[in-house]
Amino acid sequence: MSTKSNPFEHELTPDNCAFLMIDHQVGLSSFLTSIAPAVLKNNILGHAKTAKAFDIPTVLGTSWPQGPNGPTMPELLDMFGKESVIDRPFVNFWNDETSRETVKSLGRKKLVISGLALEVCVAFPAIAAAAEGYEVYAVIDASADFNPLITEVTIQRLASAGVVVTTWVAVLAELANNTQINGKHIANLLSEHMGQYAVAMSNFLGVASNAEEMKSQIGTPPLLARQ
């Protein structure tokens, strides 16, 4: 009988996970087009703001920033600071001692990993960390590849290695857990980074009898406040 741990046994919480955002660099985000660049950037920022909303330790990595990969996305630097970025010479984040030891020093069992490209910058460290006993989540839509076929193949590889394949909204919802406590994070982040949700929220706040009560709980989502 297998003794392999079940990553679903305990849900993600702000206290048991760390985010690894690996190689979200401006060059990579422009030429990895399995997801449209504008959609990809929106997903990455929504995912990053999830970490900020719940005060989750976040490590940023870069590879070859002086080459075509380019520097880290400026929005991420604004959110987390340049001191959060570890530049490394190794392709595999987990093979870099500084990167690996930084993650281990956080003392978090669950690692939520996104990156560019999924097939390398997410898959390599995700599989390596899972082999060392970490419970790893790969955020597919805050990552990208050269084409969708690569993503399909990589998802199968990750799943077979015991990595939980997920999306940034699923991570947000699992961390939020209770809408009475954290509904403001769901409302604000989805309104800002999921267009369909922004439309639904705008319609709701415009006609619902309890709209003012809801605004007092969640505030006015930033995107709607600009309208």
Side-chain angles (χ1 to χ4, degrees):
M1 184 174 69
S2 173
T3 59
K4 191 172 184 179
S5 63
N6 174 14
F8 292 102
E9 184 178 357
H10 301 288
E11 294 181 343
L12 285 171
T13 72
D15 298 321
N16 69 9
C17 72
F19 278 31
L20 310 185
M21 300 192 69
I22 304 174
D23 302 353
H24 288 103
Q25 296 165 246
V26 295
L28 292 168
S29 65
S30 67
F31 62 71
L32 295 173
T33 55
S34 61
I35 302 176
V39 175
L40 174 63
K41 184 173 183 178
N42 207 39
N43 293 344
I44 292 168
L45 295 181
H47 184 56
K49 289 176 184 178
T50 298
K52 293 294 289 186
F54 293 98
D55 198 25
I56 294 169
T58 301
V59 178
L60 306 182
T62 58
S63 62
W64 207 15
Q66 71 278 16
N69 293 358
T72 298
M73 292 170 56
E75 295 90 347
L76 298 183
L77 295 178
D78 289 343
M79 269 188 262
F80 299 107
K82 291 182 179 180
E83 65 277 5
S84 299
V85 181
I86 301 173
D87 184 29
R88 68 186 191 283
F90 295 94
V91 172
N92 185 346
F93 177 95
W94 207 254
N95 286 345
D96 181 68
E97 183 177 3
T98 300
S99 301
R100 186 177 63 251
E101 293 304 316
T102 297
V103 174
K104 290 183 176 182
S105 72
L106 299 175
R108 302 295 178 98
K109 185 177 183 180
K110 292 179 179 284
L111 303 180
V112 180
I113 305 179
S114 59
L116 304 174
L118 177 70
E119 64 179 323
V120 174
C121 301
V122 174
F124 289 6
I127 292 169
E132 291 191 21
Y134 286 90
E135 296 176 354
V136 182
Y137 296 67
V139 186
I140 303 302
D141 59 349
S143 309
D145 291 299
F146 287 102
N147 60 63
L149 175 61
I150 295 173
T151 300
E152 292 177 16
V153 171
T154 305
I155 287 173
Q156 293 184 43
R157 183 184 184 192
L158 288 165
S160 67
V163 175
V164 178
V165 176
T166 189
T167 63
W168 81 266
V169 172
V171 170
L172 165 63
E174 192 166 345
L175 289 168
N177 185 46
N178 185 319
T179 55
Q180 291 185 346
I181 298 172
N182 292 313
K184 61 182 180 180
H185 297 314
I186 295 174
N188 291 335
L189 290 174
L190 291 187
S191 292
E192 187 170 4
H193 294 286
M194 280 289 177
Q196 306 97 312
Y197 198 92
V199 172
M201 180 62 75
S202 179
N203 290 341
F204 168 77
L205 293 177
V207 302
S209 59
N210 65 330
E212 293 306 314
E213 177 186 351
M214 182 61 65
K215 287 180 182 178
S216 70
Q217 293 180 26
I218 66 173
T220 301
L223 185 66
L224 303 184
R226 295 195 293 268
Q227 294 180 352

